[in-house]
Structures are given as C-alpha cells and as structure tokens.
Amino acid sequence: MDNEELNEFYEKMAQAVVDGNEDECIRLANLGIEEQIDAYDIIIKGCAHGMTIVSDLYEKREMFVPEILLSARAMSGAVDILKPYIKTDDIKETGCVCIGVVLGDIHDIGKNLVKLLLETAGLRVIDLGRDVPTEDFIETVEKEKVDIVALSALMTTSMMEMKETVKELNEKYPNVKTMVGGAPVSKEFADKIGADSYADNASEAIRVVQGLLG
Amino acid sequence: MGKNDEMNDKERFLNALLLKEIDRASAACPLQTATTEMMDETGCFWPDANYDSKKMAMLAEFAHTKAGIESIRVPFDLCVEAEVLGAEINQGRKNSQPSVIKPAIRREKDLDVTFKPDPKNDGRMKTVCDAVSILSEKYSDVPIIAGITGPFTLAGQIRGVEMLLMDFFDNPDFVKTLLNYTTEVLIDFAKALTESGADSIIVIDPSAGCELLGKKHYESMALPYCKKLIDSIKVPTILHICGDTTPILEKMCETNADAISLDHLVDMKTAFDTVGNRICLIGNINPADTLFLGSTEDVKNETKECIKAGARIIAPGCGIPTGTKIENIKAWIETVKEE
Ligand code: B12
Ligand SMILES: [Zn+2]
C-alpha cells in the first residue's frame, strides 16, 4: 500500500470505531495484518483516533453513552486481533506501570485506552481494573517491581479517593512515581494532591511515562 | 406558619404543584433531607434509619420540626426497589447512602416478570410505606412526600447500566420487556405509597439524564415508561432527573408530571422561559457548593435568585449532602419566607 492508501485504511478503521461497527473493525484488522500494515499504527492512527472523534462528538452532544460503549466494544474487537502482532521493543520491557480506576468509580474506557497504548510502547502493565481500593495498589507495589502507579478518575467524587491513594503511596513508597488522569483531573489538581505527573490523554501518557522513567 | 402566611405548608405546596394561587413560594424539599447533625440529634442513624420505619419517620420529620423544611420526605436513598428485586446492596454508612453493588439480572433468563413484590409487605418497600403511614397520621397540614425510582434507572440498577445500554443494540426486545416490568413494579409501589397517605410522589430517574442518554434515547427508552407510571399516580407527581436537562425539558413535561425538579446545572430562568407557563418548577440551589460548603449569605443569595427566576418551590438541585449544617438549611427556608 502506498501512503495514500494507508491513510485511507486508517480512516476506514477510525470510521468503523465511530460507527460502533464491530464486524467491520474485525474485518479491517484482519485485512491490515494480511497486508502487513504495522499493527501499532493501525491501533494509534485508526482505532484510538476513532475513539478521540467519539469523545469529541460526545462533548458536542452529538453522540451519547450507548454509542460510546458500542464504539469501545468495536475497538476492542480490532485490538484483540492486532495485539499479538505489535512489535514491542523486544530487547526488554522498559518499565512497569500499575494502572487502575480509583475506588467508587467504574468508568474504565479511558483507562483501558491508556493501558493499551502503554503496552504498545513496550511497558509491562499490571491492570487492577476499576473501583480499586488504595490497599490493592499498595499490595501490588509491595509484591511487584512497579515503577509507576497510574490512577484514573472520571468523577469529582472519586477524585477525593485519588487524593487519598496518592497520599498513601507517597508516604509508604516515595520512590514509586504516581501519574494521574481522567476527564475532570487537571495539572493543577495533580500538583495539589502531590502526584508526580499528569497526562491529558493516552498518547501524552506515553511521553510522560517515558519522561518519568528517564 | 410564618407571620404573614395565609396558607399552611400543605396547601401552599399542593397549590404550587398544581399552578394554583399561592401566598408565597414553598420551601418544601422533594429530595433527600437527612444530615449527620439531624442523625446525632435524633439518635436515628443511617444505615439503621433506612431499614426501620419508626427511625425513618423520626429522622425525616426532624428536617421539618427542627430545620423548618416545609415538607416531610421519605426515604433517604434510591435503592429500595432494586433491593426488593434482588440486586445486591451495600448498606452504606452514617454519611453514605446504600448503593447497588451487583445487579440481579446477569443473564436475560434471570428476569422473572411474574415476580411482583407486594409493597405493603416486602422488604424496604414496606418500611417506606409504614413510615409514610406514621407521618401522614401525625401531620395533617404538612405535605408528606414519597420518593420512588424511575423505570429506566431501576432497570439499570437490576441489569447493570452498561449491560442495559448495550442491550439497546443487542436485544432491544429484552429492554422493552425489562422496562415494562420495572414500570409495573413501580406503579404498584406508588399506589401503595399513596394509599399509605403520601400527598405527593417524586419520581427520580438519574440514569435517564441527558449526559448519558441524550434526547433521542430519552424519548424512546425512558419517557414512555415514565409517562405510563406518572399517569397511574393519583396524587400530584414530581419528576427529577439529575444533570443538565435543558435539552429535554419539554420532553419531561410530556410525562404529565405536575412539576419538574431541576438540578443546579440547569439555568432556572431559561427553564422558566421554556416550560414555566405549563409546569411547576422546583429547585435549584447548588447542593454541594452552596448548601453544604457555602456561607449562610451564599445560601440566601442563591435562594433569592431561584425565586426571581420563577421557581414555585425552592429546594436544592439534588439531595441535601449529609454534611450540610442546619444553619444553612434555615438560611434557605427563612429567605423563602421573607421574600
Ligand atoms: C461512558 C460513561 C459512563 C459509563 C461507563 C462505562 C465504562 N465502562 O467506563 C456508565 C454508563 C457505566 C456510567 C455510569 C455512571 N456515570 Co458516567 N459517564 C460516562 C461518560 C459519558 C464518558 C466517559 C468516557 O468513557 N469517555 C471516553 C474516554 C476515552 O475518555 P476519558 O475517560 O476522559 O479518558 C481519556 C483521558 O481522560 C485520559 N485518561 C483517563 N484516565 C487516565 C489515567 C491516567 C493515569 C492518565 C495519564 C490519563 C487518563 O486518557 C483517556 C484517553 O485519551 C462521562 C462524561 C464525560 N464527559 O466524561 C460520564 C460521567 C463521568 N458519568 C457521570 C456519572 C454521574 C455517572 C453515574 C453516577 C450515573 C448514574 N447516576 O447512574 C454512573 C455511576 C458510575 C460510577 N459509580 O462510577 C458524571 C460524573 C459527574 C461527577 N460527579 O463528576 C459524568 C461526567 C457525566 C455527567 N456530566 O454527569 N458512565
Ligand atoms: Zn439529582
């Protein structure tokens, strides 16, 4: 495929995500692999790009949660197929991130995107899921060799939990870095609660993590 | 009664709902009224007061007798029906309401539409009915308000919201069956509550909010069922949906509710200009930033704004946060009485 065809392909994948068309996402993912298109590029330039469009449409009140969930499912359909084909920096994993959505919060679509992109960037990611109490983060840090704990919160109420979790981690494990994110979270909030870093979206999260790992 | 009042709290509240003449705005509160200060003073604490009709009635009436709220409202949470229908509930603590932790219908075949709870005998439906009886026998000139969950929210609680939303695409017929079922259950519950003496019912449907469903889905998945429920209720009925409902105000009127209770995110003046001529508007003091965290001066100012914008019943935009000081509640009530 030449460049123009490639871009057209990514566009199609993004559109299939926006449409929430899982069958089309799966078809395109398989086609991409047949055509030996880079799996990482398909995810970033196709799938994740589609999800960004979805978020924008939501902000403009042109799309609502049922459709967002459908898009997220369609995207997962493609990602499941593409994942094994991602060329990671196969020399070694560059670091370990423990990620989760804080207690009282079940919004995990954004967290899953961040996790996915971190994995594609060659990091080891331990996913604790959603509605995760502070103790579970602590326990994981204790047992595994974790470099960064990444916390997601999508509600103003759960941001308070985020504050607690960061505080505990800072007290018990000052060497482990913390990174926070989620729609209502800001750089100012991150600074105020003593988190080491903040990222506004998933691709920025990769840059931030690479910065933290030095 | 205040010194210049010509009506008692119940007359004023009911007239306000029905768009009849009133001597002044009402300071009734159709949403959750209990605070930890009230629990300390009555000795009726959550979670106990959610499970014991006498304690429920005592804690609820304290909001009227001590803080001056011009109504008495039960229950304090939104899980009564979901619990009776088999959802797993976390009982919560002194300062947190019960919440659903596990839906009841994991697979479609788990739905048994033949199971119809008997509200006067089953679980916390009975607790609430009994509390309403106690209160309505004791108070003849204060409105007794009973809260129930909306059909869409209840469906989300027993199925899981995400599952329910995916069912829209995967199995729309199942969604209809489920919504018809929750509607029937709620019709029975509302009937039992009015028979127990409730003067008004408030239907609370947070999951049908605009941020989640948008207008199109609201019209097909929430409105028809809410309308069917409200049409069945024999006393004046209020509809509350959380969040910014500006885009669906007119649709909310189509449910035939007598009043709509607005979240603080809605601009009262805009709402009044849109639907104020045909429906009573309730609201919408910011419950967290103003009532809970603000000064009495902040509360006074916002109360005045609500009156000026056209609300007939001045109340918080959602339930009263448990940490709210009685002092702030009084500032709201006194301002309504003075204006
Ligand atoms: C989808 C959704 C749901 C779904 C969640 C499904 C799921 N599995 O996640 C369902 C339907 C279940 C749901 C339920 C509820 N929701 Co909801 N929901 C949303 C919605 C519309 C979109 C969230 C989303 O997925 N966005 C798309 C993703 C891709 O974006 P994102 O999460 O922001 O993530 C990006 C960045 O933030 C960043 N990021 C995210 N996490 C992290 C972490 C790190 C470390 C980093 C670096 C970056 C990062 O990267 C991501 C990708 O670029 C938001 C509205 C909004 N504007 O956010 C409301 C919203 C979050 N929900 C809200 C509410 C109130 C609820 C409910 C309480 C509603 C109810 N009454 O039942 C429940 C209960 C939820 C609970 N206890 O957690 C409110 C929260 C209000 C508040 N208090 O702050 C919102 C804001 C809507 C609103 N305006 O009222 N919801
Ligand atoms: Zn509300």
Side-chain angles (χ1 to χ4, degrees):
Chain A
M1 279 195 197
D2 62 27
N3 256 347
E4 203 172 306
E5 283 169 331
L6 263 180
N7 282 336
E8 215 169 277
F9 176 83
Y10 299 140
E11 242 355 273
K12 269 193 196 155
M13 178 63 94
Q15 191 57 45
V17 169
V18 173
D19 295 341
N21 189 338
E22 190 178 12
D23 292 342
E24 178 69 357
C25 281
I26 291 174
R27 189 187 72 80
L28 287 170
N30 285 320
L31 180 70
I33 286 162
E34 243 169 68
E35 300 278 331
Q36 302 193 330
I37 306 173
D38 187 81
Y40 179 81
D41 283 347
I42 303 178
I43 291 177
I44 302 285
K45 296 178 184 164
C47 302
H49 177 59
M51 218 48 212
T52 314
I53 298 174
V54 167
S55 290
D56 291 347
L57 288 173
Y58 175 82
E59 292 307 326
K60 284 193 259 170
R61 288 183 181 259
E62 285 172 27
M63 203 166 161
F64 294 93
V65 180
E67 288 80 15
I68 295 184
L69 296 177
L70 202 61
S71 290
R73 181 167 79 180
M75 178 181 75
S76 311
V79 168
D80 286 346
I81 293 169
L82 295 168
K83 232 171 156 180
Y85 294 89
I86 295 172
K87 297 190 213 78
T88 44
D89 280 339
D90 16 47
I91 319 128
K92 61 172 186 329
E93 278 163 353
T94 47
C96 176
V97 179
C98 168
I99 194 168
V101 182
V102 300
L103 190 67
D105 199 328
I106 61 157
H107 297 91
D108 63 357
I109 298 174
K111 183 268 295 169
N112 289 343
L113 260 177
V114 175
K115 170 194 169 188
L116 176 75
L117 292 209
L118 291 177
E119 281 176 348
T120 59
L123 290 139
R124 172 167 178 240
V125 182
I126 303 172
D127 182 7
L128 298 185
R130 56 196 202 179
D131 194 12
V132 182
T134 302
E135 306 90 72
D136 291 11
F137 287 106
I138 300 280
E139 202 186 303
T140 309
V141 172
E142 217 163 76
K143 284 197 187 133
E144 310 273 344
K145 202 198 144 298
V146 174
D147 302 295
I148 298 168
V149 176
L151 305 170
S152 180
L154 262 284
M155 306 196 294
T156 42
T157 43
S158 60
M159 283 166 75
M160 297 304 117
E161 286 296 334
M162 179 178 262
K163 185 176 161 202
E164 292 305 311
T165 306
V166 169
K167 191 165 151 248
E168 287 243 2
L169 282 165
N170 282 347
E171 279 165 12
K172 296 206 168 113
Y173 299 95
N175 293 329
V176 173
K177 298 272 195 270
T178 52
M179 173 169 76
V180 295
V185 179
S186 63
K187 176 85 179 65
E188 291 76 52
F189 180 76
D191 290 342
K192 220 166 89 190
I193 65 172
D196 295 301
S197 59
Y198 160 81
D200 178 57
N201 58 57
S203 38
E204 202 187 307
I206 297 183
R207 281 192 292 278
V208 171
V209 164
Q210 283 162 347
L212 285 175
L213 292 171
Chain B
M1 280 218 280
K3 51 184 184 307
N4 299 320
D5 291 354
E6 291 159 18
M7 298 176 147
N8 69 35
D9 292 345
K10 185 155 144 182
E11 291 165 341
R12 182 181 307 106
F13 172 74
L14 292 175
N15 273 12
L17 286 183
L18 300 173
L19 293 183
K20 292 182 184 165
E21 208 170 311
I22 40 178
D23 54 350
R24 60 164 169 84
S26 160
C29 183
L31 292 150
Q32 189 307 101
T33 57
T35 66
T36 46
E37 207 179 331
M38 297 181 193
M39 296 180 208
D40 290 335
E41 294 208 28
T42 53
C44 303
F45 298 93
W46 292 358
D48 298 358
N50 295 321
Y51 289 81
D52 177 322
S53 54
K54 288 201 186 74
K55 286 183 183 163
M56 185 181 285
M58 267 178 80
L59 183 56
E61 74 183 335
F62 198 75
H64 167 72
T65 54
K66 182 69 186 285
I69 292 175
E70 299 180 331
S71 60
I72 303 176
R73 199 272 196 200
V74 287
F76 310 111
D77 72 305
L78 206 59
C79 296
V80 171
E81 303 91 339
E83 190 172 356
V84 172
L85 296 184
E88 198 178 309
I89 305 291
N90 173 344
Q91 291 202 352
R93 285 169 294 199
K94 179 183 173 185
N95 54 5
S96 66
Q97 292 169 316
S99 57
V100 176
I101 46 178
K102 209 192 249 165
I105 305 166
R106 311 303 290 269
R107 297 154 305 178
E108 282 164 31
K109 65 175 168 33
D110 294 341
L111 174 62
D112 174 11
V113 294
T114 61
F115 173 65
K116 289 277 164 59
D118 170 6
K120 287 185 181 159
N121 283 302
D122 289 344
R124 287 208 294 137
M125 285 185 175
K126 172 177 164 53
T127 316
V128 182
C129 286
D130 289 348
V132 168
S133 297
I134 296 171
L135 292 164
S136 68
E137 269 163 37
K138 192 164 165 188
Y139 294 93
S140 57
D141 50 9
V142 184
I144 311 300
I145 309 173
I148 64 174
T149 309
F152 188 81
T153 299
L154 180 55
Q157 287 173 326
I158 62 174
R159 173 65 170 154
V161 190
E162 276 182 81
M163 292 291 276
L164 178 65
L165 297 182
M166 292 311 285
D167 290 337
F168 282 18
F169 308 104
D170 296 343
N171 197 348
D173 286 341
F174 175 69
V175 179
K176 290 194 186 109
T177 310
L178 182 60
L179 286 167
N180 276 320
Y181 173 66
T182 56
T183 306
E184 294 301 327
V185 168
L186 291 164
I187 287 174
D188 290 348
F189 188 30
K191 182 160 175 278
L193 288 165
T194 48
E195 283 169 3
S196 303
D199 299 303
S200 172
I201 301 281
I202 177 164
V203 177
I204 304 165
D205 215 355
S207 298
C210 255
E211 284 92 350
L212 206 82
L213 284 189
K215 191 169 171 179
K216 190 179 107 242
H217 293 301
Y218 178 76
E219 254 184 287
S220 60
M221 296 299 185
L223 192 154
Y225 304 93
C226 199
K227 177 174 186 304
K228 188 173 173 201
L229 168 62
I230 290 176
D231 280 339
S232 81
I233 300 175
K234 299 279 191 296
V235 293
T237 304
I238 303 164
L239 174 61
H240 175 79
I241 297 180
C242 303
D244 183 2
T245 48
T246 312
I248 55 165
L249 287 173
E250 271 154 342
K251 295 286 152 201
M252 288 169 77
C253 292
E254 285 176 28
T255 61
N256 290 338
D258 296 287
I260 49 186
S261 150
L262 303 176
D263 193 286
H264 76 273
L265 292 172
V266 181
D267 177 52
M268 182 60 81
K269 181 72 176 52
T270 308
F272 189 80
D273 292 343
T274 318
V275 295
N277 61 347
R278 59 190 133 126
I279 201 161
C280 164
L281 295 177
I282 304 177
N284 61 350
I285 302 168
N286 185 326
D289 294 338
T290 308
L291 205 58
F292 172 36
L293 298 170
S295 65
T296 52
E297 206 51 40
D298 297 334
V299 176
K300 272 187 194 155
N301 291 336
E302 216 173 295
T303 304
K304 286 181 191 165
E305 277 168 34
C306 294
I307 299 174
K308 212 171 115 206
R312 290 168 72 86
I313 298 171
I314 313 304
C318 205
I320 299 180
T322 51
T324 304
K325 295 188 288 285
I326 290 182
E327 188 188 46
N328 273 10
I329 297 180
K330 283 186 169 156
W332 142 42
I333 310 293
E334 290 309 318
T335 310
V336 177
K337 284 184 175 170
E338 281 161 19
E339 285 293 296

